[in-house]
Amino acid sequence: MTNTNELQILLTTTDIALASSLILLVMLVSWRLRLHLGSTLLIAAVRTIVQLSFIGLILAWVFAREQWYEVLLILTMMTLIAGIAAKNRVKRVYKGLFTDTLLAVSLSAVLVTTIAITIILQVSPWYTPQFIIPILGLILGNSLTAISLTSNQLVEAFYSQQPRIEMMLSLSATPYEAIHSPMRAAIISGMTPTLNSMLVVGIVSLPGMMTGQILAGADPSQAVRYQIVSMFLICASSTLGCTLSALLTYRRFFNANKQFVLP
């Protein structure tokens, strides 16, 4: 490791190798407890190294060129992959699931990112890659988790609560009234990780953005401000994404005659 004049610590390949040895410790624990996670941990570790190394090379190239169409292509790919990841986390697949998750992820993330870039940070030009790419990535990573939790719980509730929903419909309840309770529970479930993080941030945990900036030698007060902004962006995007996901999902389970149907 090398110390610079700004008290930064530059990580070397040796440092990465030492950190990777911790995965071996985790694999040992998995083997001793017969958790059967050894192969999964190994694959996850390798993918982490390969994926991050690859994206590091891509970002270095994009940052140096600052071409709007290249930045837009990366943003589109990130959003598409986030939609696929959210869809893959839903256990019960229904027709239109990918469309719903992609719309929920993209609309919420793009809206919040646009507000962050144009109004809060006032970045010019808007496609400056060192700002818009990490901000969208931060929002997408948290939003897809919230959206997948919401979608998964809501779909499971539709199957498990089918008799109750059909009974309410038979008693003249509207589709929205019939599914309001499971929808509310699903949105709360999706928002819970974000809310839990906000409740303990700065007291129990120092989030990734803040920790990374401090380790890189940034002013702690500025790191805190960036973290506050990022937490609010994540909260707004997760809330919008969960709500959109729930609304889009519930419409898939009712036909034109407002009858409840399981895909």
Side-chain angles (χ1 to χ4, degrees):
M1 294 185 292
T2 303
N3 290 331
T4 68
N5 294 331
E6 289 87 11
L7 298 180
Q8 294 179 344
I9 297 178
L10 303 180
L11 296 178
T12 65
T13 304
T14 302
D15 300 325
I16 301 299
L18 291 173
S20 301
S21 65
L22 296 175
I23 300 298
L24 298 177
L25 176 61
V26 177
M27 293 176 65
L28 177 61
V29 173
S30 172
W31 173 71
R32 291 290 296 175
L33 297 179
R34 298 181 182 178
L35 301 179
H36 304 293
L37 294 176
S39 59
T40 302
L41 286 167
L42 181 60
I43 293 173
V46 172
R47 287 189 58 172
T48 297
I49 295 173
V50 173
Q51 290 170 184
L52 289 178
S53 299
F54 178 73
I55 196 62
L57 295 174
I58 295 296
L59 290 180
W61 181 71
V62 173
F63 284 12
R65 290 170 55 84
E66 292 194 1
Q67 298 295 322
W68 69 267
Y69 53 88
E70 295 172 353
V71 174
L72 189 60
L73 176 61
I74 290 180
L75 299 179
T76 302
M77 291 179 60
M78 290 169 61
T79 305
L80 181 62
I81 293 172
I84 295 173
K87 172 237 174 195
N88 290 339
R89 296 184 185 183
V90 180
K91 296 179 181 178
R92 290 185 184 267
V93 180
Y94 62 86
K95 185 178 181 180
L97 172 61
F98 173 64
T99 301
D100 292 345
T101 55
L102 181 60
L103 282 174
V105 167
S106 59
L107 291 178
S108 59
V110 170
L111 175 61
V112 174
T113 301
T114 300
I115 293 174
I117 292 295
T118 60
I119 299 177
I120 299 175
L121 299 178
Q122 299 182 10
V123 177
S124 181
W126 64 267
Y127 56 83
T128 304
Q130 56 262 44
F131 285 98
I132 193 168
I133 292 177
I135 288 176
L136 180 65
L138 178 70
I139 292 173
L140 285 174
N142 289 273
S143 294
L144 76 88
T145 299
I147 289 169
S148 62
L149 287 172
T150 298
S151 299
N152 190 63
Q153 179 163 325
L154 187 57
V155 173
E156 290 292 341
F158 284 161
Y159 278 87
S160 63
Q161 299 184 31
Q162 179 183 3
R164 186 192 69 83
I165 294 173
E166 292 178 339
M167 180 190 69
M168 291 187 66
L169 292 172
S170 67
L171 296 175
S172 301
T174 64
Y176 182 78
E177 291 172 340
I179 58 86
H180 179 263
S181 179
M183 177 186 287
R184 177 177 176 273
I187 294 175
I188 292 174
S189 175
M191 286 298 301
T192 297
T194 300
L195 295 176
N196 287 343
S197 297
M198 294 178 70
L199 289 171
V200 300
V201 65
I203 299 177
V204 176
S205 66
L206 294 179
M209 174 179 284
M210 181 176 171
T211 302
Q213 286 188 317
I214 292 175
L215 290 176
D219 180 3
S221 63
Q222 281 297 316
V224 166
R225 293 174 185 176
Y226 270 99
Q227 189 59 57
I228 292 173
V229 170
S230 68
M231 292 300 293
F232 289 165
L233 295 177
I234 291 170
C235 181
S237 180
S238 296
T239 303
L240 290 174
C242 289
T243 304
L244 280 172
S245 176
L247 291 174
L248 291 170
T249 300
Y250 113 80
R251 292 179 183 276
R252 298 283 184 182
F253 287 78
F254 288 88
N255 59 25
N257 297 321
K258 299 182 178 181
Q259 296 173 320
F260 182 72
V261 292
L262 294 177

